Amino acid sequence: MIVPKGIRDELRWFYEARFGMFVHFGLYSLLGRGEWAMYHEEIPRGTYSRLMDDFNPHLFDADAWVQLARDAGARYITATAKHHDGFCLFDSALTDFKITNTPFKRDLIGELVRACQKHGMRIILYYSQPDWHHPNYVHCPGAFKDLTHPPETDRPDWPAYQRYYIGQVEELCRNYGSIDGIWFDGSHKSVDAWQGKAVYALIKRYQPHAVVNDRARYGDFFTPERTLPEDLTGYLFESCESVSPVAWGYRRNSPSYTTPHLVRSLVKMAAAGGNYLLNVGPQPDGRIPDRQAQVMREIGAWLRVNGQAVYQTDPVRLPAPRIRKRTAGASATEPFVALAGRTGVTRGGNTIYFHCLEWPEIDRFIIPGIQSAVRQVRLLGSDQVIRFEQSDLGVELFDLPATPPNAQVQVFALLCDLAPGVTEDASVGQEAEPAVIELNARGSTTLPAHLAIQDGRAVKGSRLVVEQDNERQTTVLSGWMVPEQEAHWILMCPEDGDWQVSVYGSCPVSSEEAVVRITVQGQALSAALPDPQAAQNAGSPYPKVIAGTVRLAAGRAVLTLHPEKLVWGYVLGKIEKVQLDRA
Ligand code: GLC
């Protein structure tokens, strides 16, 4: 398991925080084309490094950043101490490529951490292990975030780079007093490559309550990016998004998401039990762009009214509420319809919070699933007490105002007698009944991708993906990143006997390392997936590889496939199917 499931006491502050402000700032901010400019524009390392001469965010004010986070209602700040370009915003003793060697001269991270400590704001430091500057970093050309043409003067030396990176993490944990977490960003290499477990232990040694994200492949919480997964409840997780849809670092004339959209996203994550980390990208002078600051403050205004429904709450999965339409002449007999997907529910203390992501065209609601007696219903942000009745059908709210009290998410607070008991929606998170595949004793049986039952999460909380291959009219399993990801098929074997097991698939690059392991009834087989050249020779993107023969007893069996060796330690390839032939 990459991320331990469950919430330990020392991490509780993070689970309860629900909202953080992300900050991407660095040399790239000078260019105004996002934090990947060096990579995408193939700016030579020497040219890029000369940006240091112009780096002087003279209007940077750590207190102002912290004040903005407070105004936004954020409970923590996550700020880039070093991004992929390798430039350090802290005074590292291990490199000259750092902020104290620019005209600015000051240790920005040090100032920010002190300001956070002073104002009671939590601070997490983002640290990118991928490094486009350090000569010892080993690039796998073709791998995400690695350079395709690293300078010839580089001296690739992985142990040396590991010492550098771990040394810098230690500096961050040791030199600034109390910090609240480290946020890595190298999900494209393996836990061994990053020494993820040892680094995790190192961080906790210095800062026991600090949280560590999943992108050194071992940590406390998952970090889905620019998505709002609703199926990670029970794990610690934080979904990150940027106010700018196009970049994390400063980008001139960047568009911005609207405040209602961002509030809805925050609510969706709270209702799934996760945090929302929203990014701003300061300008070259060190100030946060006005438009982004304004959006953050608008979210803060919403949270000042509705924060009790967000912070320190737990997610609740009630069955979908039902509504009656407000159409002209609607009669009392008009049927109720389910309002699925447009609401979110949390609970805190004795109160259930019912969030309406859209103000529905109705004047009455039924909220099913609340078992405790409801004493009072209020709409947060208005003085109005809502008329309601509680019956076997649920809590029915009447006479809702025709227009909502604000333009964002409306929250009904249902105050109960006791900590509310609820009937959770049993269908949430339930997979369909798995198919049982009857083995053909005379010929071949196919275990196709789309019938696989999945298990295990990879970095960012990701699952395997069932891809449609339209050209070949088939489905394939992709997104394999860790050995913990498994595909299972349930078999019914008609008789005792030997079966030959084959895998159809391939890996994306030349490699001898893409190996899958297949287990069934206590027996294990391995098969190496062919590389693209072999696939081309075979005339199929998913050539057949015979893994071996197993002896099966008549009856039910579960066949499991998972990566045994991953190319570069993190990617496997695509698997179309497993096939069993009576031997
Ligand atoms: C991606 C981007 C990176 C950004 C990060 C935030 O990994 O490569 O630029 O910092 O997302 O989650």
Side-chain angles (χ1 to χ4, degrees):
M1 180 76 78
I2 299 172
V3 175
K5 203 168 169 158
I7 298 148
R8 299 195 305 279
D9 280 352
E10 69 276 18
L11 309 179
R12 184 121 212 127
W13 72 267
F14 183 74
Y15 173 72
E16 294 179 343
R18 288 292 176 258
F19 187 41
M21 182 171 97
F22 211 174
V23 186
H24 275 67
F25 190 51
L27 276 189
Y28 46 78
S29 309
L30 293 186
L31 299 173
R33 298 192 291 272
E35 76 288 358
W36 276 69
M38 174 186 178
Y39 185 99
H40 289 314
E41 299 170 22
E42 298 185 31
I43 302 174
R45 194 178 286 165
T47 313
Y48 188 83
S49 303
R50 281 195 291 280
L51 287 171
M52 276 175 79
D53 301 340
D54 298 324
F55 189 81
N56 191 1
H58 61 289
L59 296 178
F60 166 73
D61 174 359
D63 290 322
W65 284 16
V66 178
Q67 188 59 46
L68 178 65
R70 292 191 120 176
D71 292 347
R75 292 281 163 98
Y76 58 99
I77 294 177
T78 304
T80 50
K82 179 188 107 172
H83 204 267
H84 307 334
D85 63 359
F87 179 70
C88 297
L89 280 90
F90 62 106
D91 190 16
S92 172
L94 304 177
T95 182
D96 291 332
F97 194 46
K98 60 179 176 182
I99 194 161
T100 41
N101 289 342
T102 68
F104 184 62
K105 294 204 174 67
R106 290 150 51 190
D107 181 334
L108 183 146
I109 289 297
E111 291 183 23
L112 182 61
V113 173
R114 269 190 300 283
C116 287
Q117 290 163 346
K118 185 169 81 188
H119 297 291
M121 175 66 67
R122 301 266 188 179
I123 176 79
I124 297 178
L125 299 176
Y126 168 109
Y127 182 91
S128 164
Q129 319 95 300
D131 192 312
W132 301 329
H133 184 86
H134 200 283
N136 293 141
Y137 185 88
V138 179
H139 296 272
C140 300
F144 184 46
K145 297 192 181 179
D146 282 1
L147 299 175
T148 315
H149 306 291
E152 299 204 334
T153 49
D154 269 3
R155 300 179 305 280
D157 179 342
W158 196 244
Y161 183 72
Q162 283 177 325
R163 282 195 296 279
Y164 172 71
Y165 123 68
I166 296 170
Q168 288 203 316
V169 172
E170 188 163 5
E171 289 183 319
L172 293 174
C173 290
R174 202 186 48 204
N175 294 351
Y176 298 99
S178 173
I179 61 165
D180 302 289
I182 296 285
W183 211 99
F184 289 115
D185 198 8
S187 50
H188 68 299
K189 289 194 196 284
S190 67
V191 66
D192 294 335
W194 297 133
Q195 296 197 15
K197 288 189 183 176
V199 173
Y200 180 89
L202 173 107
I203 297 167
K204 301 280 172 163
R205 202 156 60 235
Y206 285 103
Q207 308 279 350
H209 71 285
V211 288
V212 181
N213 76 339
D214 58 344
R215 298 192 189 178
R217 295 300 192 91
Y218 189 82
D220 300 308
F221 65 99
F222 284 127
T223 55
E225 185 174 317
R226 292 201 193 264
T227 60
L228 302 172
E230 291 176 13
D231 60 350
L232 286 173
T233 306
Y235 291 102
L236 263 188
F237 75 99
E238 172 201 69
S239 167
C240 54
E241 180 56 275
S242 180
V243 172
S244 158
V246 291
W248 300 83
Y250 175 62
R251 184 145 184 170
R252 258 187 300 279
N253 304 322
S254 160
S256 151
Y257 284 114
T258 66
T259 305
H261 170 80
L262 296 169
V263 169
R264 267 182 235 128
S265 303
L266 164 63
V267 166
K268 282 184 193 165
M269 290 301 87
N275 289 0
Y276 193 55
L277 179 65
L278 187 57
N279 177 74
V280 293
Q283 317 165 155
D285 65 11
R287 286 178 310 166
I288 292 163
D290 288 344
R291 174 73 192 121
Q292 299 196 347
Q294 183 194 341
V295 167
M296 294 305 279
R297 290 198 188 95
E298 285 169 2
I299 296 171
W302 182 87
L303 277 166
R304 268 190 294 287
V305 174
N306 298 283
Q308 58 176 282
V310 173
Y311 307 119
Q312 291 171 284
T313 58
D314 290 310
V316 183
R317 303 282 186 155
L318 296 182
R322 293 177 304 149
I323 59 170
R324 236 194 263 270
K325 286 210 160 182
R326 189 203 298 283
T327 47
S331 71
T333 55
E334 183 169 340
F336 282 96
V337 291
L339 182 70
R342 284 147 62 193
T343 60
V345 189
T346 54
R347 93 172 114 180
N350 284 8
T351 306
I352 296 269
Y353 297 101
F354 188 83
H355 304 246
C356 279
L357 305 182
E358 288 164 36
W359 191 246
E361 288 288 300
I362 47 155
D363 62 0
R364 52 175 63 187
F365 257 98
I366 289 196
I367 305 173
I370 301 176
Q371 292 159 358
S372 317
V374 172
R375 284 287 148 244
Q376 191 198 52
V377 180
R378 286 189 315 123
L379 189 54
L380 296 186
S382 93
D383 299 333
Q384 203 184 339
V385 172
I386 305 286
R387 202 158 69 78
F388 73 96
E389 264 172 30
Q390 193 167 13
S391 71
D392 290 350
L393 290 177
V395 179
E396 185 164 9
L397 313 184
F398 299 100
D399 306 331
L400 303 183
T403 48
N406 68 61
Q408 289 147 22
V409 172
Q410 326 302 322
V411 184
F412 293 102
L414 290 79
L415 180 67
C416 299
D417 262 354
L418 305 164
V422 294
T423 313
E424 305 246 352
D425 182 357
S427 68
V428 176
Q430 289 272 315
E431 312 280 343
E433 224 2 63
V436 178
I437 302 170
E438 175 92 35
L439 292 190
N440 179 349
R442 307 280 158 264
S444 297
T445 309
T446 296
L447 317 184
H450 69 273
L451 288 185
I453 306 161
Q454 300 183 20
D455 216 359
R457 301 290 184 140
V459 68
K460 304 184 188 179
S462 67
R463 309 175 62 137
L464 296 177
V465 183
V466 180
E467 277 179 39
Q468 189 74 36
D469 181 337
N470 286 332
E471 201 178 311
R472 303 188 78 87
Q473 304 228 336
T474 186
T475 54
V476 289
L477 283 168
S478 66
W480 301 91
M481 297 174 87
V482 291
E484 290 85 351
Q485 282 171 307
E486 294 182 337
H488 311 283
W489 288 268
I490 300 178
L491 314 178
M492 184 54 73
C493 185
E495 59 191 32
D496 294 359
D498 291 341
W499 303 78
Q500 187 186 66
V501 182
S502 313
V503 183
Y504 289 72
S506 64
C507 70
V509 286
S510 296
S511 157
E512 286 161 17
E513 294 172 286
V515 179
V516 294
R517 190 172 179 80
I518 294 164
T519 52
V520 58
Q521 289 189 348
Q523 300 154 78
L525 300 170
S526 293
L529 299 185
D531 66 15
Q533 187 56 52
Q536 198 176 8
N537 296 345
S540 160
Y542 321 114
K544 173 176 176 175
V545 185
I546 297 172
T549 302
V550 288
R551 165 149 297 223
L552 297 184
R556 210 174 141 97
V558 178
L559 184 142
T560 300
L561 181 149
H562 74 105
E564 182 173 9
K565 273 185 163 181
L566 296 146
V567 191
W568 297 323
Y570 77 93
V571 64
L572 181 76
K574 299 192 180 197
I575 296 193
E576 185 198 11
K577 62 185 176 187
V578 175
Q579 185 175 298
L580 280 87
D581 290 280
R582 190 76 163 86

mmCIF file of all heavy atoms in Angstrom, residues 250-275:
data_model
loop_
_atom_site.group_PDB
_atom_site.id
_atom_site.type_symbol
_atom_site.label_atom_id
_atom_site.label_comp_id
_atom_site.label_asym_id
_atom_site.label_seq_id
_atom_site.Cartn_x
_atom_site.Cartn_y
_atom_site.Cartn_z
ATOM 1 N N TYR A 250 2.980 31.529 -12.586
ATOM 2 C CA TYR A 250 2.394 32.736 -13.181
ATOM 3 C C TYR A 250 2.347 32.653 -14.710
ATOM 4 O O TYR A 250 3.300 32.249 -15.358
ATOM 5 C CB TYR A 250 3.224 33.950 -12.752
ATOM 6 C CG TYR A 250 2.782 35.242 -13.395
ATOM 7 C CD1 TYR A 250 1.506 35.747 -13.180
ATOM 8 C CD2 TYR A 250 3.647 35.945 -14.233
ATOM 9 C CE1 TYR A 250 1.099 36.916 -13.772
ATOM 10 C CE2 TYR A 250 3.248 37.132 -14.826
ATOM 11 C CZ TYR A 250 1.975 37.610 -14.602
ATOM 12 O OH TYR A 250 1.567 38.767 -15.204
ATOM 13 N N ARG A 251 1.206 33.031 -15.239
ATOM 14 C CA ARG A 251 1.040 33.091 -16.679
ATOM 15 C C ARG A 251 0.319 34.382 -17.006
ATOM 16 O O ARG A 251 -0.764 34.639 -16.468
ATOM 17 C CB ARG A 251 0.206 31.893 -17.112
ATOM 18 C CG ARG A 251 0.049 31.809 -18.574
ATOM 19 C CD ARG A 251 0.036 30.364 -18.969
ATOM 20 N NE ARG A 251 -0.022 30.264 -20.396
ATOM 21 C CZ ARG A 251 0.143 29.154 -21.060
ATOM 22 N NH1 ARG A 251 0.397 28.049 -20.408
ATOM 23 N NH2 ARG A 251 0.063 29.137 -22.351
ATOM 24 N N ARG A 252 0.949 35.174 -17.869
ATOM 25 C CA ARG A 252 0.352 36.479 -18.203
ATOM 26 C C ARG A 252 -1.016 36.281 -18.852
ATOM 27 O O ARG A 252 -1.203 35.359 -19.642
ATOM 28 C CB ARG A 252 1.255 37.240 -19.185
ATOM 29 C CG ARG A 252 2.069 38.333 -18.521
ATOM 30 C CD ARG A 252 2.812 39.181 -19.548
ATOM 31 N NE ARG A 252 3.736 38.387 -20.362
ATOM 32 C CZ ARG A 252 4.953 38.015 -19.968
ATOM 33 N NH1 ARG A 252 5.404 38.379 -18.810
ATOM 34 N NH2 ARG A 252 5.720 37.298 -20.744
ATOM 35 N N ASN A 253 -1.958 37.144 -18.514
ATOM 36 C CA ASN A 253 -3.304 37.126 -19.094
ATOM 37 C C ASN A 253 -3.995 35.769 -18.971
ATOM 38 O O ASN A 253 -4.757 35.372 -19.857
ATOM 39 C CB ASN A 253 -3.273 37.508 -20.587
ATOM 40 C CG ASN A 253 -2.613 38.844 -20.795
ATOM 41 O OD1 ASN A 253 -2.804 39.751 -19.983
ATOM 42 N ND2 ASN A 253 -1.813 38.959 -21.845
ATOM 43 N N SER A 254 -3.697 35.085 -17.911
ATOM 44 C CA SER A 254 -4.315 33.772 -17.757
ATOM 45 C C SER A 254 -5.804 33.913 -17.422
ATOM 46 O O SER A 254 -6.187 34.794 -16.666
ATOM 47 C CB SER A 254 -3.609 33.036 -16.616
ATOM 48 O OG SER A 254 -4.421 32.014 -16.148
ATOM 49 N N PRO A 255 -6.631 33.045 -17.994
ATOM 50 C CA PRO A 255 -8.036 33.041 -17.565
ATOM 51 C C PRO A 255 -8.131 32.510 -16.135
ATOM 52 O O PRO A 255 -7.130 32.064 -15.566
ATOM 53 C CB PRO A 255 -8.717 32.092 -18.545
ATOM 54 C CG PRO A 255 -7.622 31.223 -19.048
ATOM 55 C CD PRO A 255 -6.345 32.013 -18.962
ATOM 56 N N SER A 256 -9.326 32.525 -15.605
ATOM 57 C CA SER A 256 -9.487 32.069 -14.224
ATOM 58 C C SER A 256 -10.817 31.335 -14.103
ATOM 59 O O SER A 256 -11.796 31.679 -14.770
ATOM 60 C CB SER A 256 -9.448 33.309 -13.337
ATOM 61 O OG SER A 256 -10.200 33.124 -12.189
ATOM 62 N N TYR A 257 -10.831 30.304 -13.293
ATOM 63 C CA TYR A 257 -12.112 29.665 -12.990
ATOM 64 C C TYR A 257 -12.980 30.636 -12.213
ATOM 65 O O TYR A 257 -12.474 31.523 -11.527
ATOM 66 C CB TYR A 257 -11.902 28.406 -12.144
ATOM 67 C CG TYR A 257 -11.390 27.222 -12.907
ATOM 68 C CD1 TYR A 257 -10.123 26.706 -12.654
ATOM 69 C CD2 TYR A 257 -12.171 26.606 -13.879
ATOM 70 C CE1 TYR A 257 -9.649 25.610 -13.345
ATOM 71 C CE2 TYR A 257 -11.703 25.508 -14.575
ATOM 72 C CZ TYR A 257 -10.441 25.011 -14.310
ATOM 73 O OH TYR A 257 -9.979 23.932 -14.991
ATOM 74 N N THR A 258 -14.280 30.445 -12.277
ATOM 75 C CA THR A 258 -15.177 31.332 -11.534
ATOM 76 C C THR A 258 -15.265 30.871 -10.077
ATOM 77 O O THR A 258 -15.052 29.694 -9.771
ATOM 78 C CB THR A 258 -16.602 31.314 -12.115
ATOM 79 O OG1 THR A 258 -17.139 30.002 -11.915
ATOM 80 C CG2 THR A 258 -16.604 31.654 -13.603
ATOM 81 N N THR A 259 -15.612 31.797 -9.224
ATOM 82 C CA THR A 259 -15.740 31.466 -7.804
ATOM 83 C C THR A 259 -16.804 30.386 -7.556
ATOM 84 O O THR A 259 -16.537 29.430 -6.822
ATOM 85 C CB THR A 259 -16.028 32.734 -6.984
ATOM 86 O OG1 THR A 259 -14.987 33.667 -7.274
ATOM 87 C CG2 THR A 259 -16.059 32.451 -5.505
ATOM 88 N N PRO A 260 -18.008 30.481 -8.144
ATOM 89 C CA PRO A 260 -18.988 29.414 -7.879
ATOM 90 C C PRO A 260 -18.460 28.030 -8.267
ATOM 91 O O PRO A 260 -18.670 27.055 -7.541
ATOM 92 C CB PRO A 260 -20.191 29.809 -8.747
ATOM 93 C CG PRO A 260 -20.061 31.280 -8.928
ATOM 94 C CD PRO A 260 -18.589 31.577 -8.945
ATOM 95 N N HIS A 261 -17.752 27.963 -9.380
ATOM 96 C CA HIS A 261 -17.192 26.667 -9.797
ATOM 97 C C HIS A 261 -16.233 26.142 -8.730
ATOM 98 O O HIS A 261 -16.255 24.960 -8.377
ATOM 99 C CB HIS A 261 -16.468 26.816 -11.135
ATOM 100 C CG HIS A 261 -15.662 25.616 -11.520
ATOM 101 N ND1 HIS A 261 -16.234 24.494 -12.089
ATOM 102 C CD2 HIS A 261 -14.342 25.339 -11.368
ATOM 103 C CE1 HIS A 261 -15.282 23.586 -12.279
ATOM 104 N NE2 HIS A 261 -14.126 24.082 -11.851
ATOM 105 N N LEU A 262 -15.386 27.023 -8.218
ATOM 106 C CA LEU A 262 -14.375 26.584 -7.256
ATOM 107 C C LEU A 262 -15.011 26.229 -5.908
ATOM 108 O O LEU A 262 -14.605 25.263 -5.264
ATOM 109 C CB LEU A 262 -13.292 27.659 -7.101
ATOM 110 C CG LEU A 262 -12.489 27.900 -8.400
ATOM 111 C CD1 LEU A 262 -11.622 29.148 -8.278
ATOM 112 C CD2 LEU A 262 -11.620 26.694 -8.749
ATOM 113 N N VAL A 263 -16.025 26.976 -5.509
ATOM 114 C CA VAL A 263 -16.712 26.646 -4.245
ATOM 115 C C VAL A 263 -17.381 25.282 -4.371
ATOM 116 O O VAL A 263 -17.309 24.445 -3.470
ATOM 117 C CB VAL A 263 -17.742 27.741 -3.874
ATOM 118 C CG1 VAL A 263 -18.632 27.277 -2.724
ATOM 119 C CG2 VAL A 263 -17.023 29.027 -3.480
ATOM 120 N N ARG A 264 -18.002 25.042 -5.515
ATOM 121 C CA ARG A 264 -18.638 23.732 -5.728
ATOM 122 C C ARG A 264 -17.608 22.615 -5.635
ATOM 123 O O ARG A 264 -17.862 21.561 -5.052
ATOM 124 C CB ARG A 264 -19.299 23.673 -7.109
ATOM 125 C CG ARG A 264 -20.747 24.062 -7.067
ATOM 126 C CD ARG A 264 -21.369 23.944 -8.461
ATOM 127 N NE ARG A 264 -21.967 25.221 -8.779
ATOM 128 C CZ ARG A 264 -21.762 25.919 -9.876
ATOM 129 N NH1 ARG A 264 -20.993 25.465 -10.845
ATOM 130 N NH2 ARG A 264 -22.343 27.075 -10.044
ATOM 131 N N SER A 265 -16.440 22.851 -6.205
ATOM 132 C CA SER A 265 -15.395 21.825 -6.167
ATOM 133 C C SER A 265 -14.955 21.566 -4.731
ATOM 134 O O SER A 265 -14.782 20.417 -4.316
ATOM 135 C CB SER A 265 -14.197 22.264 -7.002
ATOM 136 O OG SER A 265 -14.610 22.541 -8.318
ATOM 137 N N LEU A 266 -14.770 22.635 -3.983
ATOM 138 C CA LEU A 266 -14.394 22.502 -2.570
ATOM 139 C C LEU A 266 -15.446 21.677 -1.817
ATOM 140 O O LEU A 266 -15.121 20.770 -1.042
ATOM 141 C CB LEU A 266 -14.251 23.908 -1.965
ATOM 142 C CG LEU A 266 -14.230 24.058 -0.452
ATOM 143 C CD1 LEU A 266 -13.029 23.345 0.142
ATOM 144 C CD2 LEU A 266 -14.187 25.536 -0.056
ATOM 145 N N VAL A 267 -16.702 21.973 -2.082
ATOM 146 C CA VAL A 267 -17.785 21.257 -1.395
ATOM 147 C C VAL A 267 -17.818 19.783 -1.801
ATOM 148 O O VAL A 267 -17.993 18.899 -0.957
ATOM 149 C CB VAL A 267 -19.141 21.943 -1.693
ATOM 150 C CG1 VAL A 267 -20.307 21.056 -1.303
ATOM 151 C CG2 VAL A 267 -19.213 23.283 -0.968
ATOM 152 N N LYS A 268 -17.605 19.524 -3.082
ATOM 153 C CA LYS A 268 -17.610 18.118 -3.529
ATOM 154 C C LYS A 268 -16.537 17.325 -2.806
ATOM 155 O O LYS A 268 -16.736 16.167 -2.441
ATOM 156 C CB LYS A 268 -17.381 18.029 -5.040
ATOM 157 C CG LYS A 268 -18.616 18.358 -5.842
ATOM 158 C CD LYS A 268 -18.333 18.162 -7.326
ATOM 159 C CE LYS A 268 -19.442 18.794 -8.148
ATOM 160 N NZ LYS A 268 -19.068 18.959 -9.551
ATOM 161 N N MET A 269 -15.364 17.951 -2.636
ATOM 162 C CA MET A 269 -14.284 17.230 -1.951
ATOM 163 C C MET A 269 -14.585 17.074 -0.455
ATOM 164 O O MET A 269 -14.316 16.039 0.123
ATOM 165 C CB MET A 269 -12.948 17.935 -2.189
ATOM 166 C CG MET A 269 -12.463 17.816 -3.624
ATOM 167 S SD MET A 269 -12.231 16.097 -4.191
ATOM 168 C CE MET A 269 -13.853 15.645 -4.791
ATOM 169 N N ALA A 270 -15.154 18.104 0.164
ATOM 170 C CA ALA A 270 -15.510 17.973 1.587
ATOM 171 C C ALA A 270 -16.539 16.857 1.758
ATOM 172 O O ALA A 270 -16.466 16.063 2.697
ATOM 173 C CB ALA A 270 -16.058 19.294 2.113
ATOM 174 N N ALA A 271 -17.483 16.786 0.820
ATOM 175 C CA ALA A 271 -18.533 15.770 0.915
ATOM 176 C C ALA A 271 -17.995 14.376 0.607
ATOM 177 O O ALA A 271 -18.674 13.375 0.856
ATOM 178 C CB ALA A 271 -19.682 16.114 -0.030
ATOM 179 N N ALA A 272 -16.781 14.317 0.048
ATOM 180 C CA ALA A 272 -16.152 13.005 -0.173
ATOM 181 C C ALA A 272 -15.122 12.729 0.918
ATOM 182 O O ALA A 272 -14.487 11.684 0.925
ATOM 183 C CB ALA A 272 -15.492 12.979 -1.550
ATOM 184 N N GLY A 273 -14.943 13.685 1.830
ATOM 185 C CA GLY A 273 -14.005 13.475 2.937
ATOM 186 C C GLY A 273 -12.574 13.898 2.621
ATOM 187 O O GLY A 273 -11.635 13.411 3.249
ATOM 188 N N GLY A 274 -12.408 14.781 1.660
ATOM 189 C CA GLY A 274 -11.049 15.171 1.268
ATOM 190 C C GLY A 274 -10.830 16.672 1.329
ATOM 191 O O GLY A 274 -11.763 17.455 1.512
ATOM 192 N N ASN A 275 -9.571 17.049 1.154
ATOM 193 C CA ASN A 275 -9.207 18.466 1.139
ATOM 194 C C ASN A 275 -9.167 18.984 -0.296
ATOM 195 O O ASN A 275 -9.032 18.209 -1.255
ATOM 196 C CB ASN A 275 -7.818 18.667 1.743
ATOM 197 C CG ASN A 275 -7.810 18.448 3.233
ATOM 198 O OD1 ASN A 275 -8.838 18.149 3.837
ATOM 199 N ND2 ASN A 275 -6.644 18.582 3.835
#
